[in-house]
């Protein structure tokens, strides 16, 4: 008889900056611990020593990168992340929670910057070989609400410094992704109170847990 553990679940968090991902990560951490789910928490770009260096480059306001270079860097970091962190965690039966994943590339480089979705899809197929999140929580809210919440919080990174029409296109690209792949997306109206959003998150995590 095989003693292989069942594969873990792959959960990703997405949304425009200021949508509340960081706020809800600690809730997810507590919820999973409370339900005895072993989980690895990670982020993109990043998650490995190489990935974190690429993250610094991608987010630094000093970086000048072409659209393709930026997209390729995101996928270079992702490949290392999948090989070193994501696949090993899932294979060992742990859940893997990533603050951003490929939907961010579709949203920021695709929607925001105008890289054709087909080009991103080609890299996705190459690097992920069919790997997809089991659940993607999309924190969705109007730009003005996100901007208001972020105001004065800290120095803005290269993406946060973009004009509001950029962020509007990012939001729209996310919603398009969610519409195209409704089986894995949960779109959460994040203009509501933290408690209301967390009720929804708990419901979605509960469903995912049941499918284990
Ligand atoms: P992100 O990680 O998605 O950029 P954060 O979690 O840092 O967003 O949230 C941005 C700011 O908005 C923080 O100051 C946070 O406390 C606040 N915030 C997050 N969610 C809500 C909410 N539902 N209602 C009011 N304020 C919120």
């Amino acid at each position: 008889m095989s003693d292989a553990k069942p594969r873990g679940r792959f959960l990703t968090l997405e949304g425009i900056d200021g949508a509340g991902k960081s706020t809800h990560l600690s809730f997810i951490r507590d919820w999973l611990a409370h339900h005895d789910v072993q989980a690895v928490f990670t982020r993109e770009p990043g998650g490995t020593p190489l990935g974190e260096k690429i993250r610094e480059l991608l987010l630094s306001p000093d970086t000048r990168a072409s659209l393709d270079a930026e997209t390729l860097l995101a996928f270079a970091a992702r490949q290392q992340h999948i090989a070193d962190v994501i696949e090993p965690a899932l294979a060992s039966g742990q859940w893997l929670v990533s603050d951003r994943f490929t939907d961010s590339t579709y949203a920021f480089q695709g929607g925001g910057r105008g890289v054709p979705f087909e080009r991103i899809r080609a890299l996705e197929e190459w690097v992920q070989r069919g790997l997809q999140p089991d659940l993607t929580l999309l924190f969705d809210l109007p730009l003005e609400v996100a901007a208001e919440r972020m105001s004065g919080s800290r120095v803005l990174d290269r993406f946060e410094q973009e004009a509001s029409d950029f962020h509007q296109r990012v939001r729209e690209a996310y919603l398009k992704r969610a519409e195209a792949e409704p089986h894995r997306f949960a779109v959460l109206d994040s203009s509501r109170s933290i408690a209301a959003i967390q009720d929804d998150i708990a419901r979605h995590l509960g469903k995912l847990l049941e499918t284990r």
Side-chain angles (χ1 to χ4, degrees):
M1 207 172 85
S2 159
D3 61 357
K5 290 195 177 166
R7 200 172 153 80
R9 296 281 165 211
F10 184 16
L11 174 64
T12 59
L13 276 59
E14 297 284 356
I16 60 172
D17 294 309
K21 286 186 294 89
S22 316
T23 304
H24 298 299
L25 261 171
S26 56
F27 174 79
I28 293 171
R29 200 184 287 274
D30 291 348
W31 193 96
L32 292 176
H34 183 74
H35 289 81
D36 290 327
V37 176
Q38 299 248 356
V40 172
F41 286 78
T42 183
R43 68 175 181 181
E44 287 209 349
T48 66
L50 175 69
E52 290 294 325
K53 284 187 182 164
I54 293 175
R55 178 188 184 90
E56 265 181 55
L57 284 172
L58 285 172
L59 298 191
S60 165
D62 298 333
T63 296
R64 296 283 167 270
S66 69
L67 301 190
D68 287 346
E70 184 175 298
T71 307
L72 288 162
L73 280 170
F75 272 100
R78 182 162 300 134
Q79 199 285 329
Q80 198 74 47
H81 194 204
I82 291 170
D84 291 359
V85 179
I86 299 178
E87 273 299 347
L90 295 174
S92 75
Q94 297 182 89
W95 285 33
L96 190 294
V97 182
S98 188
D99 180 348
R100 300 198 178 287
F101 191 61
T102 305
D103 295 305
S104 281
T105 314
Y106 280 99
F108 285 81
Q109 280 71 42
R113 301 237 194 269
V115 175
F117 273 20
E118 311 82 71
R119 204 169 281 184
I120 298 172
R121 200 172 319 281
L123 293 171
E124 178 183 28
E125 282 169 10
W126 179 18
V127 165
Q128 291 171 222
R129 298 185 211 168
L131 174 73
Q132 288 294 343
D134 296 295
L135 172 65
T136 298
L137 298 174
L138 173 55
F139 296 94
D140 179 62
L141 78 181
L143 301 188
E144 306 73 50
V145 182
E148 175 66 28
R149 286 182 186 169
M150 291 217 309
S151 61
S153 58
R154 60 195 159 84
V155 179
L156 300 182
D157 70 35
R158 205 161 65 89
F159 293 94
E160 290 164 344
Q161 287 181 1
E162 289 285 348
S164 66
D165 57 338
F166 173 88
H167 296 288
Q168 184 61 38
R169 291 194 304 274
V170 171
R171 181 186 184 200
E172 283 162 11
Y174 268 133
L175 291 172
K176 222 160 109 181
R177 296 284 296 152
E179 218 175 84
E181 302 191 6
H183 54 281
R184 75 172 166 91
F185 268 94
V187 182
L188 305 173
D189 172 0
S190 301
S191 60
R192 296 172 299 156
S193 72
I194 290 176
I197 297 163
Q198 291 180 345
D199 279 351
D200 278 359
I201 295 173
R203 200 163 39 79
H204 288 291
L205 292 179
K207 270 199 283 185
L208 192 58
L209 188 60
E210 279 169 20
T211 63
R212 202 156 41 158

